[in-house]
Amino acid sequence: MSTIEKQGLENEWLLLQSQFDGYEKYSLLIKLLSITLLCSFYLFSDVTFFTVTILLILWMQDAIWKTFQSRIEPRLLGLEQSIKNDLVDEKYEPPYQFNSQYYQSRPSQFGLIKEYISQSLRPTIAFPHIVLFTLAVIALFG
């Protein structure tokens, strides 16, 4: 691998890793917004069907956000392996192929919806959303 190709792999890794970390920060902000929203409605108003619906929307938005993040991970791992392999042999992925790789494995519309729902049930995403949703339903009907 040439120095220019290796530099391309390293630059792409730095960019994607920064984006990967950014998705994590915004996912946390979505969770904090959900907590703030429920607390505000509970303390200063009434928990309504609207509140429950907004909490569900935020939960699904978090799942979609984390799905976007999960699409970066395979490319990051491939880049890391390519950078590592340069020390051993010449097997590597060319730099700047993120979209091409994703396009080759992109699921159908139904597959995307299934992916979003699957992400929403992962423990790191479901918490605190499932707790907030449960509390809102209890406040609504209790």
Side-chain angles (χ1 to χ4, degrees), residues 1 79-89 91:
M1 170 184 330
L79 290 169
E80 290 174 6
Q81 191 63 44
S82 293
I83 293 167
K84 178 182 171 187
N85 283 346
D86 181 46
L87 302 174
V88 180
D89 57 34
K91 295 179 185 173

Side-chain angles (χ1 to χ4, degrees), residues 32-125:
L32 291 172
L33 176 62
S34 296
I35 292 167
T36 303
L37 177 78
L38 181 59
C39 289
S40 296
F41 274 105
Y42 186 78
L43 294 173
F44 303 113
S45 183
D46 288 331
V47 174
T48 64
F49 181 74
F50 176 78
T51 310
V52 174
T53 302
I54 294 298
L55 289 173
L56 282 175
I57 290 170
L58 287 169
W59 186 356
M60 288 301 107
Q61 186 59 51
D62 194 14
I64 291 168
W65 199 250
K66 294 296 279 186
T67 301
F68 292 157
Q69 180 191 42
S70 73
R71 293 176 186 156
I72 296 174
E73 187 174 14
R75 182 65 182 167
L76 278 172
L77 294 173
L79 290 169
E80 290 174 6
Q81 191 63 44
S82 293
I83 293 167
K84 178 182 171 187
N85 283 346
D86 181 46
L87 302 174
V88 180
D89 57 34
E90 288 295 318
K91 295 179 185 173
Y92 69 94
E93 297 181 23
Y96 311 116
Q97 299 300 307
F98 174 76
N99 290 314
S100 298
Q101 281 187 342
Y102 173 70
Y103 184 74
Q104 291 173 355
S105 64
R106 185 182 186 278
S108 66
Q109 294 289 358
F110 178 74
L112 285 172
I113 292 168
K114 185 178 168 186
E115 190 176 3
Y116 297 150
I117 292 170
S118 174
Q119 284 284 340
S120 74
L121 299 175
R122 289 180 54 213
T124 55
I125 297 169

